[in-house]
Amino acid sequence: MDWLDQQQQYFETLQNFGPRLWDGFLLTVQLTLVGAALAFVIAVILGLMAGSPNLWLRGPARVIIEFFRGTSLLVQLFWVYYVLPLFGLTLESAFTVGVIALGVNYGAYGAEAVRASLTSVASGQWEATVALSMSWPHKIRRIIFPQAWALMIPSLTNLLVHLLKGSAIVYIVGLNDFNWELDQLRRVTDAWFSYAFIGLIAYFLFALLLTQGMRLLEIRAKHRLGQGPTIREILSPTPKMPIASAHPGSAPLVPGGKAPGGQG
Amino acid sequence: MNTLTPLFTAQPSGEATGNIWDWDFALEIFPEILTAFIQVTLLVTVVGTAIAAILGLVIAILIRVLPTPLALIVRWAANFIRMTPIVVQLLVLYYGFTWMDPLLIGFIVFGIHYATYMSEVYRAGIESVPKGQWEATKALSMSAGRTWRRVVIPQALRSTIPSLGNYAISMFKDTPFLFVISVAEMVSVAQDLGAQTFRYTEAITIAGLIFLAASYPTALLINRLEKRLAYAN
Protein backbone atom coordinates (compact mmCIF):
# COMPACT_ATOMS: atom_id res chain seq x y z
CA MET A 1 0.00 0.00 0.00
CA ASP A 2 2.72 2.42 -0.97
CA TRP A 3 0.45 4.79 -2.77
CA LEU A 4 -2.03 5.03 0.11
CA ASP A 5 0.76 5.71 2.61
CA GLN A 6 2.01 8.48 0.44
CA GLN A 7 -1.43 10.05 0.15
CA GLN A 8 -1.76 9.91 3.92
CA GLN A 9 1.55 11.69 4.23
CA TYR A 10 0.37 14.31 1.78
CA PHE A 11 -2.71 14.94 3.85
CA GLU A 12 -0.53 15.51 6.90
CA THR A 13 1.51 18.02 4.91
CA LEU A 14 -1.75 19.62 3.86
CA GLN A 15 -2.71 20.22 7.49
CA ASN A 16 0.41 22.31 8.06
CA PHE A 17 -0.12 23.98 4.74
CA GLY A 18 -3.81 24.67 5.26
CA PRO A 19 -3.72 28.29 6.51
CA ARG A 20 -1.44 29.40 3.65
CA LEU A 21 -3.58 27.68 1.08
CA TRP A 22 -6.69 29.26 2.57
CA ASP A 23 -5.10 32.72 2.41
CA GLY A 24 -4.26 32.12 -1.23
CA PHE A 25 -7.78 30.98 -1.91
CA LEU A 26 -9.19 34.10 -0.24
CA LEU A 27 -6.94 36.23 -2.42
CA THR A 28 -8.32 34.51 -5.50
CA VAL A 29 -11.84 35.13 -4.21
CA GLN A 30 -11.01 38.81 -3.70
CA LEU A 31 -9.40 39.09 -7.14
CA THR A 32 -12.46 37.53 -8.71
CA LEU A 33 -15.02 39.64 -6.86
CA VAL A 34 -13.18 42.98 -7.08
CA GLY A 35 -12.19 42.27 -10.69
CA ALA A 36 -15.78 41.38 -11.52
CA ALA A 37 -17.06 44.57 -9.86
CA LEU A 38 -14.66 46.68 -11.92
CA ALA A 39 -15.50 44.70 -15.05
CA PHE A 40 -19.22 45.26 -14.44
CA VAL A 41 -18.82 49.02 -14.09
CA ILE A 42 -16.72 49.15 -17.28
CA ALA A 43 -19.18 46.87 -19.08
CA VAL A 44 -22.20 49.01 -18.21
CA ILE A 45 -20.48 52.28 -19.18
CA LEU A 46 -19.05 50.94 -22.44
CA GLY A 47 -22.21 48.97 -23.21
CA LEU A 48 -24.42 52.05 -22.83
CA MET A 49 -21.99 54.05 -24.97
CA ALA A 50 -21.82 51.34 -27.65
CA GLY A 51 -25.62 51.12 -27.72
CA SER A 52 -26.06 54.86 -28.11
CA PRO A 53 -27.16 56.29 -31.47
CA ASN A 54 -24.60 59.10 -31.07
CA LEU A 55 -21.49 58.35 -33.13
CA TRP A 56 -19.25 60.33 -30.79
CA LEU A 57 -20.15 57.97 -27.98
CA ARG A 58 -20.45 54.79 -30.02
CA GLY A 59 -17.17 55.18 -31.96
CA PRO A 60 -14.75 55.40 -29.03
CA ALA A 61 -16.62 52.68 -27.16
CA ARG A 62 -16.34 50.32 -30.14
CA VAL A 63 -12.60 50.99 -30.47
CA ILE A 64 -12.00 50.37 -26.76
CA ILE A 65 -14.15 47.22 -26.72
CA GLU A 66 -12.53 45.71 -29.80
CA PHE A 67 -9.06 46.60 -28.56
CA PHE A 68 -9.44 44.92 -25.20
CA ARG A 69 -11.33 41.96 -26.63
CA GLY A 70 -8.84 41.50 -29.43
CA THR A 71 -5.60 41.54 -27.47
CA SER A 72 -5.03 38.77 -25.00
CA LEU A 73 -5.41 38.97 -21.22
CA LEU A 74 -1.75 38.18 -20.63
CA VAL A 75 -0.67 40.96 -23.00
CA GLN A 76 -2.83 43.39 -21.08
CA LEU A 77 -1.46 42.15 -17.79
CA PHE A 78 2.11 42.76 -19.00
CA TRP A 79 1.08 46.08 -20.40
CA VAL A 80 -0.33 47.28 -17.10
CA TYR A 81 2.72 45.92 -15.30
CA TYR A 82 5.55 47.09 -17.56
CA VAL A 83 4.26 49.86 -19.76
CA LEU A 84 1.90 51.94 -17.62
CA PRO A 85 4.78 52.96 -15.29
CA LEU A 86 6.41 54.61 -18.32
CA PHE A 87 3.45 56.94 -18.52
CA GLY A 88 4.02 57.86 -14.91
CA LEU A 89 1.35 55.50 -13.62
CA THR A 90 3.17 53.22 -11.23
CA LEU A 91 0.79 50.88 -9.48
CA GLU A 92 2.11 50.12 -6.04
CA SER A 93 0.37 46.85 -5.40
CA ALA A 94 0.34 43.77 -7.58
CA PHE A 95 -3.28 43.31 -6.53
CA THR A 96 -4.26 46.53 -8.30
CA VAL A 97 -2.38 45.42 -11.43
CA GLY A 98 -4.26 42.12 -11.44
CA VAL A 99 -7.65 43.68 -10.80
CA ILE A 100 -7.18 46.30 -13.53
CA ALA A 101 -6.07 43.75 -16.13
CA LEU A 102 -8.96 41.41 -15.28
CA GLY A 103 -11.42 44.30 -15.06
CA VAL A 104 -10.66 45.88 -18.45
CA ASN A 105 -10.38 42.57 -20.29
CA TYR A 106 -13.63 41.04 -19.06
CA GLY A 107 -15.28 44.46 -18.89
CA ALA A 108 -14.86 44.74 -22.67
CA TYR A 109 -16.46 41.32 -23.16
CA GLY A 110 -19.22 42.28 -20.75
CA ALA A 111 -19.86 45.50 -22.67
CA GLU A 112 -20.93 43.40 -25.66
CA ALA A 113 -23.36 41.47 -23.44
CA VAL A 114 -24.77 44.74 -22.05
CA ARG A 115 -25.13 46.26 -25.50
CA ALA A 116 -26.78 43.15 -26.94
CA SER A 117 -29.29 42.93 -24.09
CA LEU A 118 -30.12 46.64 -24.37
CA THR A 119 -31.04 46.12 -28.02
CA SER A 120 -33.12 43.07 -27.04
CA VAL A 121 -35.41 45.14 -24.83
CA ALA A 122 -38.67 45.44 -26.78
CA SER A 123 -38.74 48.60 -28.88
CA GLY A 124 -42.16 49.48 -27.49
CA GLN A 125 -40.52 50.00 -24.12
CA TRP A 126 -38.09 52.52 -25.57
CA GLU A 127 -40.91 54.29 -27.41
CA ALA A 128 -43.00 54.41 -24.24
CA THR A 129 -40.22 56.21 -22.37
CA VAL A 130 -40.08 58.79 -25.14
CA ALA A 131 -43.86 59.18 -25.09
CA LEU A 132 -43.69 59.80 -21.34
CA SER A 133 -40.80 62.23 -21.95
CA MET A 134 -38.66 60.57 -19.33
CA SER A 135 -35.15 61.89 -18.81
CA TRP A 136 -32.34 59.63 -20.02
CA PRO A 137 -31.08 58.54 -16.57
CA HIS A 138 -34.64 57.99 -15.44
CA LYS A 139 -35.63 55.78 -18.34
CA ILE A 140 -32.43 53.75 -18.25
CA ARG A 141 -32.58 53.23 -14.49
CA ARG A 142 -36.29 52.53 -14.13
CA ILE A 143 -37.42 51.03 -17.45
CA ILE A 144 -34.67 49.79 -19.74
CA PHE A 145 -31.94 48.51 -17.45
CA PRO A 146 -34.13 46.32 -15.21
CA GLN A 147 -35.34 44.49 -18.31
CA ALA A 148 -31.91 44.30 -19.94
CA TRP A 149 -30.43 43.11 -16.63
CA ALA A 150 -32.58 39.96 -16.62
CA LEU A 151 -31.46 39.26 -20.20
CA MET A 152 -27.74 39.83 -19.66
CA ILE A 153 -27.26 37.73 -16.52
CA PRO A 154 -26.58 34.41 -18.35
CA SER A 155 -23.78 35.99 -20.42
CA LEU A 156 -22.39 37.74 -17.35
CA THR A 157 -22.37 34.40 -15.50
CA ASN A 158 -20.21 32.87 -18.23
CA LEU A 159 -17.87 35.85 -18.10
CA LEU A 160 -17.64 35.62 -14.32
CA VAL A 161 -16.46 32.01 -14.57
CA HIS A 162 -14.02 33.09 -17.29
CA LEU A 163 -12.73 35.81 -15.00
CA LEU A 164 -12.23 33.35 -12.16
CA LYS A 165 -10.31 31.05 -14.50
CA GLY A 166 -8.30 33.97 -15.86
CA SER A 167 -7.33 35.02 -12.34
CA ALA A 168 -5.12 31.93 -12.10
CA ILE A 169 -2.56 33.66 -14.33
CA VAL A 170 -2.03 36.82 -12.30
CA TYR A 171 0.42 35.13 -9.93
CA ILE A 172 3.07 36.05 -12.50
CA VAL A 173 3.04 39.69 -11.39
CA GLY A 174 3.92 38.56 -7.87
CA LEU A 175 0.61 37.77 -6.23
CA ASN A 176 0.42 34.88 -3.80
CA ASP A 177 -2.96 33.75 -5.03
CA PHE A 178 -4.44 30.25 -4.83
CA ASN A 179 -2.58 29.02 -7.90
CA TRP A 180 0.71 30.25 -6.47
CA GLU A 181 0.12 28.51 -3.15
CA LEU A 182 -0.82 25.34 -5.01
CA ASP A 183 2.57 25.50 -6.67
CA GLN A 184 4.19 25.75 -3.24
CA LEU A 185 2.18 22.75 -2.08
CA ARG A 186 3.21 20.86 -5.21
CA ARG A 187 6.86 21.22 -4.25
CA VAL A 188 6.32 19.24 -1.04
CA THR A 189 3.72 16.81 -2.39
CA ASP A 190 3.08 16.16 -6.07
CA ALA A 191 1.24 17.72 -8.98
CA TRP A 192 -1.71 15.33 -8.90
CA PHE A 193 -2.38 15.87 -5.23
CA SER A 194 -1.97 19.63 -5.13
CA TYR A 195 -3.11 20.83 -8.55
CA ALA A 196 -5.64 18.18 -9.47
CA PHE A 197 -7.07 16.97 -6.18
CA ILE A 198 -7.01 20.23 -4.20
CA GLY A 199 -6.74 22.93 -6.85
CA LEU A 200 -9.10 21.92 -9.62
CA ILE A 201 -11.79 20.80 -7.18
CA ALA A 202 -11.61 24.03 -5.17
CA TYR A 203 -11.76 26.15 -8.32
CA PHE A 204 -14.67 24.07 -9.58
CA LEU A 205 -16.65 24.38 -6.36
CA PHE A 206 -16.11 28.13 -6.26
CA ALA A 207 -17.18 28.45 -9.90
CA LEU A 208 -20.26 26.35 -9.13
CA LEU A 209 -21.09 28.62 -6.19
CA LEU A 210 -20.76 31.69 -8.41
CA THR A 211 -23.00 30.27 -11.13
CA GLN A 212 -25.66 29.26 -8.60
CA GLY A 213 -25.51 32.73 -7.04
CA MET A 214 -25.98 34.29 -10.46
CA ARG A 215 -28.89 31.95 -11.11
CA LEU A 216 -30.60 33.27 -8.00
CA LEU A 217 -29.97 36.81 -9.19
CA GLU A 218 -31.57 35.92 -12.51
CA ILE A 219 -34.64 34.43 -10.81
CA ARG A 220 -34.97 37.57 -8.70
CA ALA A 221 -34.55 39.87 -11.70
CA LYS A 222 -37.19 37.94 -13.65
CA HIS A 223 -39.56 37.87 -10.73
CA ARG A 224 -39.34 41.62 -10.40
CA LEU A 225 -40.39 41.87 -14.03
CA GLY A 226 -43.40 39.70 -13.27
CA GLN A 227 -41.95 36.54 -14.81
CA GLY A 228 -41.49 33.37 -12.80
CA PRO A 229 -41.53 32.60 -9.09
CA THR A 230 -39.58 34.20 -6.25
CA ILE A 231 -36.33 32.81 -4.91
CA ARG A 232 -38.10 31.74 -1.72
CA GLU A 233 -40.61 29.67 -3.66
CA ILE A 234 -37.83 27.90 -5.52
CA LEU A 235 -35.79 27.19 -2.41
CA SER A 236 -38.71 26.07 -0.28
CA PRO A 237 -38.90 22.31 0.28
CA THR A 238 -42.68 22.19 -0.06
CA PRO A 239 -44.12 21.37 -3.46
CA LYS A 240 -44.35 24.27 -5.86
CA MET A 241 -47.23 26.57 -5.18
CA PRO A 242 -49.29 27.66 -8.14
CA ILE A 243 -48.10 31.06 -9.22
CA ALA A 244 -51.55 32.59 -8.78
CA SER A 245 -51.71 32.00 -5.02
CA ALA A 246 -48.18 33.27 -4.53
CA HIS A 247 -49.04 36.60 -6.09
CA PRO A 248 -52.31 37.94 -4.79
CA GLY A 249 -52.16 40.74 -7.31
CA SER A 250 -51.67 38.69 -10.42
CA ALA A 251 -54.36 37.04 -12.48
CA PRO A 252 -55.06 33.31 -12.01
CA LEU A 253 -53.49 30.76 -14.31
CA VAL A 254 -55.41 29.92 -17.43
CA PRO A 255 -55.76 26.19 -18.26
CA GLY A 256 -53.15 26.50 -21.00
CA GLY A 257 -50.50 27.10 -18.33
CA LYS A 258 -49.67 30.58 -19.51
CA ALA A 259 -50.47 33.55 -17.35
CA PRO A 260 -52.55 36.10 -19.18
CA GLY A 261 -51.50 39.69 -19.42
CA GLY A 262 -48.26 41.34 -20.42
CA GLN A 263 -44.95 41.19 -18.67
CA GLY A 264 -42.59 43.83 -17.47
CA MET B 1 10.02 40.47 -11.49
CA ASN B 2 9.09 42.95 -8.84
CA THR B 3 12.45 44.67 -9.12
CA LEU B 4 11.73 45.88 -12.64
CA THR B 5 9.12 48.47 -11.84
CA PRO B 6 11.41 50.85 -9.92
CA LEU B 7 13.98 50.59 -12.73
CA PHE B 8 11.79 52.66 -14.99
CA THR B 9 10.96 55.36 -12.52
CA ALA B 10 14.64 55.76 -11.66
CA GLN B 11 15.67 56.13 -15.28
CA PRO B 12 15.98 59.69 -16.66
CA SER B 13 13.81 60.32 -19.68
CA GLY B 14 15.16 61.65 -22.98
CA GLU B 15 17.98 59.11 -23.23
CA ALA B 16 17.83 56.48 -25.96
CA THR B 17 16.50 53.99 -23.47
CA GLY B 18 14.13 56.46 -21.92
CA ASN B 19 11.95 56.99 -24.99
CA ILE B 20 8.63 55.32 -24.62
CA TRP B 21 8.65 53.98 -28.19
CA ASP B 22 11.71 53.20 -30.34
CA TRP B 23 10.87 52.36 -33.97
CA ASP B 24 14.28 50.85 -34.80
CA PHE B 25 14.05 48.49 -31.88
CA ALA B 26 10.46 47.62 -32.75
CA LEU B 27 11.47 46.73 -36.33
CA GLU B 28 14.42 44.72 -35.04
CA ILE B 29 12.37 42.48 -32.77
CA PHE B 30 9.28 42.20 -34.98
CA PRO B 31 10.50 39.20 -37.06
CA GLU B 32 11.31 37.21 -33.95
CA ILE B 33 7.89 37.79 -32.43
CA LEU B 34 6.16 37.00 -35.72
CA THR B 35 8.11 33.73 -36.01
CA ALA B 36 7.00 32.67 -32.54
CA PHE B 37 3.46 33.61 -33.52
CA ILE B 38 3.46 31.37 -36.58
CA GLN B 39 5.44 28.49 -35.13
CA VAL B 40 3.70 28.17 -31.78
CA THR B 41 0.61 30.35 -31.33
CA LEU B 42 -0.94 29.54 -34.69
CA LEU B 43 0.09 25.89 -34.52
CA VAL B 44 -1.50 25.35 -31.10
CA THR B 45 -4.66 27.15 -32.23
CA VAL B 46 -5.02 25.04 -35.37
CA VAL B 47 -4.25 21.69 -33.75
CA GLY B 48 -6.26 22.58 -30.63
CA THR B 49 -9.27 23.62 -32.71
CA ALA B 50 -9.10 20.41 -34.74
CA ILE B 51 -9.04 18.27 -31.58
CA ALA B 52 -11.76 20.34 -29.92
CA ALA B 53 -14.04 20.25 -32.97
CA ILE B 54 -13.89 16.45 -33.25
CA LEU B 55 -13.88 15.65 -29.53
CA GLY B 56 -16.67 18.16 -28.89
CA LEU B 57 -18.90 16.35 -31.37
CA VAL B 58 -18.05 13.01 -29.75
CA ILE B 59 -18.96 14.37 -26.30
CA ALA B 60 -22.22 15.85 -27.58
CA ILE B 61 -23.23 12.55 -29.22
CA LEU B 62 -22.17 10.51 -26.18
CA ILE B 63 -24.32 12.64 -23.88
CA ARG B 64 -27.22 12.05 -26.24
CA VAL B 65 -26.89 8.29 -26.84
CA LEU B 66 -25.47 6.95 -23.55
CA PRO B 67 -27.83 5.67 -20.85
CA THR B 68 -28.73 8.39 -18.34
CA PRO B 69 -26.25 7.69 -15.51
CA LEU B 70 -23.31 7.47 -17.89
CA ALA B 71 -24.46 10.54 -19.81
CA LEU B 72 -24.63 12.43 -16.52
CA ILE B 73 -21.06 11.45 -15.71
CA VAL B 74 -19.86 12.65 -19.10
CA ARG B 75 -21.80 15.88 -18.72
CA TRP B 76 -20.40 16.66 -15.30
CA ALA B 77 -16.89 15.73 -16.36
CA ALA B 78 -17.28 18.23 -19.19
CA ASN B 79 -18.63 20.83 -16.76
CA PHE B 80 -15.71 20.21 -14.46
CA ILE B 81 -13.16 20.77 -17.22
CA ARG B 82 -15.02 23.82 -18.49
CA MET B 83 -15.25 25.49 -15.10
CA THR B 84 -11.62 25.08 -13.98
CA PRO B 85 -8.70 27.25 -15.11
CA ILE B 86 -6.72 26.23 -18.19
CA VAL B 87 -3.60 27.40 -16.37
CA VAL B 88 -4.05 24.85 -13.60
CA GLN B 89 -4.90 22.12 -16.11
CA LEU B 90 -1.71 22.87 -18.03
CA LEU B 91 0.30 22.73 -14.81
CA VAL B 92 -1.20 19.37 -13.75
CA LEU B 93 -0.06 17.68 -16.94
CA TYR B 94 3.23 19.57 -17.02
CA TYR B 95 4.33 18.40 -13.58
CA GLY B 96 2.33 15.17 -13.67
CA PHE B 97 3.77 13.86 -16.94
CA THR B 98 7.28 15.25 -16.97
CA TRP B 99 8.20 13.05 -19.94
CA MET B 100 5.63 14.76 -22.15
CA ASP B 101 6.62 17.55 -24.50
CA PRO B 102 5.13 20.86 -23.26
CA LEU B 103 3.83 21.66 -26.73
CA LEU B 104 2.00 18.32 -26.80
CA ILE B 105 0.50 19.14 -23.41
CA GLY B 106 -0.66 22.42 -24.93
CA PHE B 107 -2.43 20.59 -27.79
CA ILE B 108 -4.12 18.20 -25.37
CA VAL B 109 -5.24 20.75 -22.78
CA PHE B 110 -6.49 23.34 -25.26
CA GLY B 111 -8.12 20.60 -27.34
CA ILE B 112 -9.97 19.04 -24.42
CA HIS B 113 -10.83 22.30 -22.65
CA TYR B 114 -12.44 23.81 -25.73
CA ALA B 115 -14.04 20.50 -26.71
CA THR B 116 -16.23 20.90 -23.62
CA TYR B 117 -17.33 24.33 -24.86
CA MET B 118 -17.88 23.11 -28.41
CA SER B 119 -19.90 20.13 -27.20
CA GLU B 120 -22.48 22.63 -25.90
CA VAL B 121 -22.62 24.24 -29.34
CA TYR B 122 -23.11 20.86 -31.00
CA ARG B 123 -25.75 19.94 -28.42
CA ALA B 124 -27.75 23.01 -29.38
CA GLY B 125 -27.23 22.18 -33.05
CA ILE B 126 -28.44 18.61 -32.60
CA GLU B 127 -31.47 19.78 -30.64
CA SER B 128 -32.34 22.19 -33.44
CA VAL B 129 -32.82 19.30 -35.89
CA PRO B 130 -36.62 18.96 -36.22
CA LYS B 131 -38.24 15.95 -34.59
CA GLY B 132 -39.76 14.98 -37.93
CA GLN B 133 -36.30 14.20 -39.26
CA TRP B 134 -35.73 11.65 -36.50
CA GLU B 135 -39.14 10.13 -37.09
CA ALA B 136 -38.49 9.95 -40.82
CA THR B 137 -35.26 7.99 -40.31
CA LYS B 138 -37.20 5.59 -38.09
CA ALA B 139 -39.91 5.24 -40.70
CA LEU B 140 -37.24 4.44 -43.27
CA SER B 141 -35.69 2.01 -40.73
CA MET B 142 -32.27 3.59 -41.00
CA SER B 143 -29.60 2.33 -38.64
CA ALA B 144 -28.52 4.61 -35.78
CA GLY B 145 -25.12 5.21 -37.35
CA ARG B 146 -26.64 6.11 -40.69
CA THR B 147 -29.17 8.41 -39.03
CA TRP B 148 -26.45 10.37 -37.32
CA ARG B 149 -24.06 10.44 -40.27
CA ARG B 150 -26.47 11.14 -43.08
CA VAL B 151 -29.33 13.05 -41.49
CA VAL B 152 -28.66 14.58 -38.09
CA ILE B 153 -25.05 15.71 -38.19
CA PRO B 154 -25.16 17.42 -41.61
CA GLN B 155 -28.14 19.50 -40.48
CA ALA B 156 -26.79 20.12 -36.98
CA LEU B 157 -23.37 21.26 -38.17
CA ARG B 158 -24.57 24.07 -40.42
CA SER B 159 -25.75 26.36 -37.67
CA THR B 160 -22.80 25.59 -35.38
CA ILE B 161 -20.00 26.90 -37.58
CA PRO B 162 -20.03 30.56 -36.41
CA SER B 163 -20.03 29.58 -32.72
CA LEU B 164 -17.20 27.12 -33.29
CA GLY B 165 -15.27 29.90 -34.99
CA ASN B 166 -15.79 32.18 -32.02
CA TYR B 167 -14.44 29.52 -29.68
CA ALA B 168 -11.43 29.06 -31.96
CA ILE B 169 -10.72 32.80 -31.56
CA SER B 170 -11.16 32.45 -27.81
CA MET B 171 -8.64 29.63 -27.76
CA PHE B 172 -6.29 31.70 -29.87
CA LYS B 173 -6.34 34.46 -27.26
CA ASP B 174 -5.83 31.94 -24.46
CA THR B 175 -2.65 30.48 -25.98
CA PRO B 176 -0.41 32.91 -24.03
CA PHE B 177 -1.27 30.80 -20.97
CA LEU B 178 1.30 28.34 -22.40
CA PHE B 179 3.73 30.78 -20.79
CA VAL B 180 3.25 28.93 -17.48
CA ILE B 181 4.59 25.64 -18.88
CA SER B 182 7.52 27.45 -20.54
CA VAL B 183 6.47 27.00 -24.15
CA ALA B 184 8.09 29.77 -26.20
CA GLU B 185 4.86 31.19 -27.61
CA MET B 186 4.57 34.77 -28.78
CA VAL B 187 3.93 36.60 -25.51
CA SER B 188 6.68 34.82 -23.60
CA VAL B 189 9.11 35.51 -26.46
CA ALA B 190 8.06 39.15 -26.29
CA GLN B 191 8.52 39.17 -22.52
CA ASP B 192 11.97 37.62 -22.92
CA LEU B 193 12.99 40.24 -25.46
CA GLY B 194 11.80 42.88 -23.04
CA ALA B 195 13.75 41.37 -20.16
CA GLN B 196 16.98 41.29 -22.17
CA THR B 197 16.87 44.99 -22.96
CA PHE B 198 14.58 46.40 -20.26
CA ARG B 199 12.41 47.69 -23.10
CA TYR B 200 9.04 46.06 -22.70
CA THR B 201 6.81 48.57 -24.45
CA GLU B 202 7.65 47.62 -28.04
CA ALA B 203 7.71 43.86 -27.53
CA ILE B 204 4.48 43.63 -25.53
CA THR B 205 2.65 46.10 -27.77
CA ILE B 206 3.69 44.28 -30.95
CA ALA B 207 2.47 41.00 -29.48
CA GLY B 208 -0.86 42.62 -28.60
CA LEU B 209 -1.24 44.17 -32.06
CA ILE B 210 -0.52 40.86 -33.76
CA PHE B 211 -3.32 39.30 -31.71
CA LEU B 212 -5.64 42.11 -32.68
CA ALA B 213 -4.64 41.97 -36.35
CA ALA B 214 -5.34 38.24 -36.48
CA SER B 215 -8.46 37.98 -34.35
CA TYR B 216 -10.47 41.06 -35.34
CA PRO B 217 -10.80 40.34 -39.10
CA THR B 218 -11.59 36.71 -38.33
CA ALA B 219 -14.30 37.81 -35.92
CA LEU B 220 -15.80 40.11 -38.56
CA LEU B 221 -15.77 37.27 -41.08
CA ILE B 222 -17.55 34.96 -38.64
CA ASN B 223 -20.08 37.69 -37.94
CA ARG B 224 -20.89 37.95 -41.64
CA LEU B 225 -21.15 34.19 -41.95
CA GLU B 226 -23.53 34.16 -39.00
CA LYS B 227 -25.76 36.78 -40.61
CA ARG B 228 -25.75 34.93 -43.92
CA LEU B 229 -26.71 31.66 -42.23
CA ALA B 230 -29.46 33.39 -40.29
CA TYR B 231 -30.72 34.89 -43.55
CA ALA B 232 -30.66 31.50 -45.29
CA ASN B 233 -32.86 30.06 -42.56
Side-chain angles (χ1 to χ4, degrees), chain A:
Chain A
M1 295 307 261
D2 246 10
W3 185 82
L4 261 183
D5 282 347
Q6 203 179 27
Q7 298 305 311
Q8 203 167 8
Q9 208 181 335
Y10 287 167
F11 270 106
E12 276 160 26
T13 320
L14 183 67
Q15 282 185 342
N16 298 326
F17 222 85
R20 268 190 80 174
L21 213 55
W22 180 243
D23 284 348
F25 185 71
L26 286 183
L27 187 63
T28 290
V29 172
Q30 283 171 22
L31 268 171
T32 307
L33 296 183
V34 181
L38 178 66
F40 182 66
V41 171
I42 292 175
V44 170
I45 294 172
L46 285 179
L48 284 172
M49 283 169 73
S52 142
N54 184 341
L55 189 68
W56 290 104
L57 288 175
R58 204 172 63 223
R62 279 254 66 91
V63 172
I64 297 171
I65 291 172
E66 294 305 341
F67 181 80
F68 285 111
R69 267 162 38 115
T71 59
S72 173
L73 172 66
L74 192 63
V75 172
Q76 286 157 28
L77 192 65
F78 279 144
W79 227 80
V80 175
Y81 191 66
Y82 290 121
V83 184
L84 274 193
L86 289 181
F87 294 98
L89 227 168
T90 312
L91 298 166
E92 292 301 328
S93 82
F95 184 78
T96 320
V97 172
V99 163
I100 289 181
L102 289 171
V104 295
N105 187 270
Y106 294 102
Y109 281 98
E112 272 301 284
V114 172
R115 188 195 57 80
S117 55
L118 284 176
T119 51
S120 305
V121 173
S123 57
Q125 299 286 325
W126 289 90
E127 287 157 14
T129 61
V130 176
L132 295 170
S133 67
M134 284 183 170
S135 70
W136 188 83
H138 191 198
K139 79 175 175 196
I140 293 293
R141 204 162 54 88
R142 306 306 293 264
I143 308 292
I144 305 300
F145 198 80
Q147 297 181 60
W149 170 235
L151 293 170
M152 74 177 78
I153 292 177
S155 315
L156 295 187
T157 307
N158 282 340
L159 284 175
L160 184 59
V161 174
H162 273 290
L163 192 147
L164 166 64
K165 296 196 298 177
S167 79
I169 193 74
V170 298
Y171 77 90
I172 61 168
V173 298
L175 273 173
N176 295 352
D177 77 334
F178 189 47
N179 192 23
W180 169 264
E181 298 295 356
L182 286 174
D183 187 51
Q184 304 301 309
L185 178 64
R186 179 200 49 89
R187 285 161 207 263
V188 286
T189 58
D190 69 13
W192 294 106
F193 182 78
S194 101
Y195 278 130
F197 185 70
I198 307 288
L200 288 180
I201 289 180
Y203 271 113
F204 176 65
L205 291 179
F206 184 42
L208 214 56
L209 190 74
L210 288 176
T211 52
Q212 294 311 306
M214 291 296 277
R215 213 173 62 91
L216 291 182
L217 273 185
E218 190 186 358
I219 290 168
R220 178 166 163 268
K222 281 197 168 152
H223 176 71
R224 294 177 78 174
L225 295 176
Q227 311 162 351
T230 61
I231 293 177
R232 196 173 299 160
E233 283 161 28
I234 285 187
L235 295 182
S236 72
T238 51
K240 267 183 195 153
M241 288 179 278
I243 294 175
S245 67
H247 303 281
S250 69
L253 274 177
V254 291
K258 251 186 155 183
Q263 27 99 336

Side-chain angles (χ1 to χ4, degrees), chain B residues 23-55:
Chain B
W23 278 108
D24 291 336
F25 182 63
L27 282 176
E28 194 187 310
I29 57 174
F30 181 72
E32 209 168 322
I33 296 176
L34 195 64
T35 315
F37 169 73
I38 292 165
Q39 284 180 348
V40 182
T41 305
L42 226 47
L43 181 69
V44 172
T45 309
V46 170
V47 177
T49 304
I51 296 175
I54 295 167
L55 190 62

Side-chain angles (χ1 to χ4, degrees), chain A residues 66-67 69-75 78-79 81-83 85-87 90 109 161-162 165 168-169 171-174 179 183 186 191-192 195-196 200-201 203-204 207-208 211, chain B residues 1-2 4-5 8-9 20 76 79-80 82-85 87-89 91-93 95-97 113 117 173 176-177 179-180 187 191 200-201 204-205 208-209 211-212 215-216:
Chain A
E66 294 305 341
F67 181 80
R69 267 162 38 115
T71 59
S72 173
L73 172 66
L74 192 63
V75 172
F78 279 144
W79 227 80
Y81 191 66
Y82 290 121
V83 184
L86 289 181
F87 294 98
T90 312
Y109 281 98
V161 174
H162 273 290
K165 296 196 298 177
I169 193 74
Y171 77 90
I172 61 168
V173 298
N179 192 23
D183 187 51
R186 179 200 49 89
W192 294 106
Y195 278 130
L200 288 180
I201 289 180
Y203 271 113
F204 176 65
L208 214 56
T211 52
Chain B
M1 279 183 112
N2 276 321
L4 289 171
T5 319
F8 285 115
T9 43
I20 285 178
W76 276 96
N79 278 344
F80 184 81
R82 193 172 39 223
M83 286 164 82
T84 50
V87 174
V88 181
Q89 291 168 3
L91 288 168
V92 172
L93 293 197
Y95 290 112
F97 299 118
H113 192 95
Y117 279 103
K173 283 180 287 198
F177 289 160
F179 181 84
V180 300
V187 178
Q191 205 264 346
Y200 289 95
T201 319
I204 304 289
T205 309
L209 290 180
F211 267 117
L212 193 62
S215 67
Y216 187 57

